Amino acid sequence: MSLLNLVLALPLIGFLLVLFLPKNNINAIRLFTLVLTLGIFVLSLGLTGPFFASGNGNWFVTDVPWIQSPEIRYHVAIDGLSLWLVILSTLMTPICVLVSWNYIKDRVKEFYAFLLLLEFGLIGVFVALDLFLFYVFWEVCLVPMYFLIGVWGHERRIYAAVKFFLYTMAGSVLMLVAIIFLYNKGGTFDYVNLVELIQRGRLTFTHTEQLWLFLAFFFAFAIKVPLFPLHTWLPDAHVEAPTAGSIMLAAVMLKMGTYGIVRFCLPMFPNAARECAPYIVVLAIIGIIYGALVALVQPNMKKLVAYSSVSHLGFVVLGIFSFNQNGLDGAVYQMLNHGISTGALFMLVGYLYERTHSLEIKDYGGVANISPGLATVFLITTLASIGLPTLNNFIGEFLVLQGSAQVNIWWTAFAATGVILSAGYMLWMYQRSFLGETNEHLKGHMHDINARELAAALPLLILMVWMGVYTKTFLPFVSQANARILEQSRSGVELRVVNQNPGGNVAAVREIPNAR
Amino acid sequence: MDAFLFFLFAAIAVACGINLVVQTHPISSALSLIGVMGALAVLYLLLGAEFMAAAQMIVYAGAIMVLFVFVIMLLNAGAETRKSRATFAKLLGVPALIGFLMTVSFLIQALLPRTEPVKFGAFTGGTAQAIGKKLFTEYLLPFEVTSVLILIAILGAVVLARKEI
Amino acid sequence: MPQTVPLSWYLILSAILFGLGVAGFIFRRNIITVFMSIELMLNAVNLSFIAFSYQLRQVDGHIFSFFVMVVAAAEAAVGLAIILTVFKNRATLAIDEVNSLKN
Amino acid sequence: MPANFMPSSAELLRFLPEMILIVMGTLLMVLEPLTKDKQHLGVIALVSLIGAAWASVMAYSNPGAAFQSMLVIDGFATFFRVLVIGVGVLTLFCSFAYLKRENAEDGEYYPLILFSVVGQCIMVTANELIILFIGLEISSIASYILAGYLRDDKRNNESALKYFLLGSFATAFLLYGISWIYGVTGTTNLAEIRRVLANKDIAPSLGLIGTSAALMFVGFAFKVSAAPFQVWAPDVYQGAPAPVSAFLSAGPKAAAFAIFLRVYMTAFESVADTWAPVVAVSALATMIIGNFAALLQNNIKRMLAYSSIAHAGYVMVALTAHSNIGTAAAMFYLASYAFMNVGAFAVVTHFARKGEKYVSIDDMAGLGWRQPVTAALLTVFLLSLIGVPLTGGFFGKFYIFKAALDANLVWLTILGLLNSAVAAYYYLRIIVVMYFKEPGESTADLQPLSAGVQAVLWSSAAAILVLGVYPSLVLDFAGQSAALAK
Amino acid sequence: MQQLWLIPALPLAGFLINGLIGKRLPKMVVSLIAVASVVLSFGWVLKTLSALGSLETAYVERYFTWFESGTLNIGFDLAVDRLTAVMLLVVTGIGSLIHIYATGYMEHEGGYYRFFAYLNLFMFFMLMLVLGGNFLILFVGWEGVGLCSYLLIGFYILKKSAGDAAKKAFIVNRIGDFGFCLAMFLIVVNFGSLDFGKVFEAVKPMPVEATAGILTAIALLLFVGATGKSAQVPLYVWLPDAMEGPTPVSALIHAATMVTAGVYMVARSAVIFERSPMAMEVVAIVGLITAVMAATIGMTQYDIKKVFAYSTVSQLGYMFIACGVGAFSAGIYHVVTHAFFKALLFLGAGSVIHAVHGEQDMRHMGGLMKKIPITFAVLTCAWVSIAGIPPFAGYFSKDEILLAAHHHHPWMYWVGVVTAGMTAFYVSRAMFMTFFGKYRGHAHPHESPFVMWGPLAVLAVLSLAGGWYFKVPHYLEPLFPLSGEAHDMTLVAISVGAGALGIGLAYVCYVLSPGIPDTVSGALGPIYKLVYNKYFVDEVYDATIVNPMVGGSRSVLWRIVDAGIIDGIVNGTATVSRSVGGALRMLQSGNIRSYAAWVTLGGVAVLVVLGVMAGGAK
């Protein structure tokens, strides 16, 4: 049993074990989950081993048959693309456990069980290399999140949970059609095989086929991302979810969509991807600006952060569809960054909520006077989120915009306005809730960040700085994996080089697909 | 002669059939149904199904319909009261029915290969002997299994109507 | 008047009777009459079987209609029993009034 | 000549399951007046069902035709035989507590179940239209009685009456169709019909074949509750006693699909191009009607009835594909469907209380916290009905739509899957009510699960998960048996 | 290796120590750490510079690759050349003084440790800015100082206006950064690198662009960045508001160092600018407009810090005129002298405010000359310096600029001269209103402690002698060759005269006959109102950009598009589905006969299709 299998299996085992723990012993449940998830996290760090030792590639490959007919394989592995996403999942889970320590008072056992199940699904999504297996994990993630929102959420939780479920479901059924179609055509569900077949030209699609296949996959992913205008489930889900739910949703689940695009849409349907890229990019840019503008006027903190996610994820999509190293690297890096900074934001908003049971910005004000520690942590997170250099988001945004600039500077120009606006809405929120005179309602409810809360926040703060300053730990593996994906996404696409620039720089060669 | 008999009994059958449909009192309908059955029995004979003709009279008209009449009497069922609540059924039913009849007639007329004229005595395979033979050889299994059917019918009648009878 | 009629006329007769059965089912309001309409349909089927049997010079069609008859008998027993229970609970045989389960 | 017609011992062995059931059913009738505790009869019925299942498996060890090709024991038949017997077993488990609660512990219930199962077994093994018809009638008549089993209950009466009248009505169409196919081909044996139809010379009578196919379609579609012949199903399922609804929606339906598949995939296979579009339209309509009408239901039994219509639509998609893969998919689907549906109905059986008082979805508020195990198991069934991976329902859908795509039915596939997304809504509603709503008075006096219902729930859930994790277990067999004996 | 990293690292260490544990340290220790870190840094700058010698070419140190993607490789590079050297000295030197001053000024403020932590952090970023060896490291500092500016403007967290000003500063800066970023993207796209060396090497052989081209685009975008950071039209609006921060902050960040970063950046990118005459012209004109506009506003303000703030804006305009006309070294020269006298002005103003217990309105001051003589003395040094009276610091740099402007376009010179007059006028006005006449306030003014006036004295010396002593243009000659033209003494005289005239006018208006200003403002009426209200620029921005954006986002994007249209479609789908369901339920009338009708209807349909159509087709 490889380490990866262990990391994947432990949450599931944990899920079953938690179900058998005595219901009333809340402490035991919490402690068990914490220890287990921490253990999983530590184990998952081991996954980086071969990368540091021998560089990129597919590691920890397990490829055994699962179902004979049609042939479905349990094929899992990690490469530079999935490595950090897996670790992100394993990191966020113990953090969520800490965050929920006191927040979740009812149905504790079920809560932690679902959290573990969610972790299982998320890790699975990122490591599955069999399309079918991927789909299975994809859907498996849906159920625990549905319950997390529905059971432990706020007032409109039912609406939000059902909306979340149906939205995702509507997208994923189309993906299922596409997966089956691919199987019928290519004879395998195995991603590696499929890509190889496509690369070698042994599996070809007509123009229409490729377009529809691409769109079917993309639609499912775009909903998850979420790409404008498919985003309206997100604010509802975020606002109504309990803190841990919001964190997992923002930090990891949204990445399922963008990961899927990078992993599947690009290498498998290069032509269609390039053909659709302009339209998708326009949507992404609209999403960036739109999300930011709507975030600007939200009276509710969680909603604000949720809309900011729409904006941030727009950058990721923009980067992906730049089809160059910088854009793609930036996009993937931005996935991780967004996971950390937005996850942290939701955590902190959750801390505030735990104290005052309000998410309305107007109910706050002057929190910094009473809780300077919390204010500081919040500020750092805010700054990370708005892309301050030396904090993580900056690198991602920079690379994304750089990548898109290589294709079309106007894309970049429009997208970059999102950076301005992000400063607007985040700082405005920070100012209204943390600065100024202390709100009367807060007195007596507010206390500063405590050790447990800090313990949950600290790893994220450290990562914000680490990922912003010393990218060498993270970026090269991502970069190498992306290089491979880019290589694959060029196959079968006849590119012509345009606009050779004065400096004659290779990085800046623009590729556009030959007109058919 | 064959034609005459056909027309006569066909006309009786159709007339009785129509009467079944238009009568509001169940007992009239039941009597009409017996009329149809009788007319059909003659037609069966014309088609060389002598055993079936007999069975039609004995089993169908004789036994089954008696049961019907018995129940009608038992429940003292009166004539239907005119309440046209189910306009929906009418709305759908009339065109459906007309459509059905037209289609089937069309199909028979247009598609059936030229059929031979029916002559009494041209086929005499439907004797009791022939049928018996078939039943106990080729159709042994259905015949035996039918007993289960009858058993269930008894069981069902007992379950559902035990206290009433 | 022709001496003989083609077999297809028998079939048309069968179709007419079947159609009348359907009509009875749809338009009659008394449950028992409705049930009798089904019997009419079954009779039409039997006629059809026997007509085809004549055409094919086989006895198998007779056998089939024989079984139809048996089944009809069994159905009659059960069906009437069901009607009895309905009548007992509702004291009506109007089919339109048996409509509490809907939508 | 006579010697030829004596069934050989091999043939008898092939018919053994039915014989066991018939004999035991009759025995139960005999024992009924002699027994005090009627549950013993139930146990005997259970044992005989299990024996029959064993006999079915045994019978498969010497597959082939029996009784002048009236029956054929192939993998397909065996699969469905075991399936319907299994449904019978599950139904019996559901029924014990229910009957006791409703003071309806007459011993006739058990032989009726057995006989209905016999009918279904005969249906699924039938290779000839007469025996098929008789099997169908045995199953149906027993079902009519079961639907109205609680004769003092108005809903039961109505259910039985509707089922009976409309069922007979549809059967008349079926018979009419059979008479036509008999007229055209001169035979009622499916293999013979197939041989005649495969002949190129039949072109002139294609219309007649179409007519008979159409008339038979009415009958079969009615039995499987496919649109537009599904109208009876909601009323009947709603009105019938809950365990019987479970039974009806799984057993007779599976058997009806079995004969539907067998007739259309063997006898009418050569004219598949003609009927496949009709089935496709019907499948689509069935899915749409089932799913959309279910959206508004508040009665859980009625909702499950609509859902069962919708699921029939999915299986019809498999039939539309008219391929071996499609048949295998339909088989797999029906198997997993049987488990999840019986499981869901079993919870209703348990939850409804005396007189089926609590059958509204809203009544289940807070069940998830009052009886976590019940709710969790119901959740498994619902997730499977939705088609969430790692449940049998998911693989069922997956195989069906894979078969449909194989047959290039892209639009049907997409619409079907979108339909399943719609369906998620009303299944989720139950989950919502169970887990997200505060417990109300309707869950206050809930008794613990009876052993029988527990057995059903656990075994169904286990079966669903096993099918969801390791579908090959069933699918391989289905795939091998999908090539029907022709 | 010269360990350049130590220069910024020292203040960073100060920040970390004070930021993390400063709360628990006594004020003494906090201030010691803060001051020491900056002073040490200053010392290290001196040591490094002396070790590096003449610095004819840039000295670069690379520590590690910051990030690498494809061919793009951004190193964590620090570099020193003469331009940097000048900036380093100014930043660390003035920084040290202001730190020392602040220990006195902030003595009684809450959040003492926080203040010094921020201030140290600012030093760190400012040093990164000037030391950065590529555009991106420069940008790190650029954004970082913006952040510290944000933190320090909003230092008084209880004051709403402080928070508003901080936010405004950050966002307006962000708009500038937007341009800066785009410029960087274009640079990477076209030159494949962000390293100063590589980029400028690639640019050098390129011809001067006659028409708008890529270099013009880059230059203009860079300049957009500069307008944000250096408070030029149209992005200057944040700087006056930034006076909400504590006065040492105004001195350090919003006068001496950070706001000149734009000038530094333009000078740094001179290679690019020089190849785009159009961009240069834009720079010069924007500089001019800013200089004039801010000066006019400065003449009407009553808040002492606001006056100096507008003065800063105006002076920054001067520096951009210099850059725009190609006299980069003059611009930097002015940066240096401006750092001296403007820091002094602000710190002096701080001393005044400190003396009158926080009063900032000059109408409530007056006659302070005797009460706080040291402050008055040092401020006078700054006064004469900014007014351009020879031979004080301001004179030298201003003169260089005006001459270069004349060389470029005489009309620019004349506008510059008028502005110089106005500058002299408003500074004198401030001085007269504050120190002359009689005291109009209610507090009991007292002189500041030594830690405050000590640094003031040093700055006073620098303001007096700094221009003469530090011949910046000569030092920068390897980078920006001097034009070599002789000084036209007439022009010099005219500009000095304008300064003198300004002072005289102010003396007349505010000392001799204090009624004049009111008469004049009354006579000018609407124009005065316009100027007094800062040309209503804030209001215009609010009305044309901010409010439409916020309002539109709320009412259109959120309420209509999001909740209305998109969610409407989503929920509408649900509603439609339910009504479809409702319609389908109608099939289930519960009536057996209607069911039979359906069955029959369906049967007919199937029959027609299968029987008639299939058969008919044959």
Side-chain angles (χ1 to χ4, degrees), chain A residues 51-107:
Chain A
F51 289 87
F52 284 111
S54 345
N56 222 321
N58 279 1
W59 296 102
F60 302 105
V61 182
T62 309
D63 189 5
V64 291
W66 173 17
I67 294 162
Q68 271 74 35
S69 168
E71 195 188 5
I72 297 169
R73 305 182 71 82
Y74 173 77
H75 185 183
V76 296
I78 50 169
D79 65 353
L81 181 59
S82 45
L83 169 68
W84 297 112
L85 288 166
V86 170
I87 294 181
L88 183 68
S89 320
T90 57
L91 169 68
M92 294 319 280
T93 316
I95 287 178
C96 282
V97 175
L98 275 179
V99 166
S100 311
W101 204 264
N102 289 337
Y103 182 92
I104 300 301
K105 296 195 175 68
D106 299 334
R107 293 150 197 176

Side-chain angles (χ1 to χ4, degrees), chain E residues 215-232:
Chain E
L215 291 179
T216 307
I218 293 172
L220 285 175
L221 286 169
L222 283 175
F223 182 61
V224 171
T227 55
K229 190 91 350 187
S230 293
Q232 297 296 292

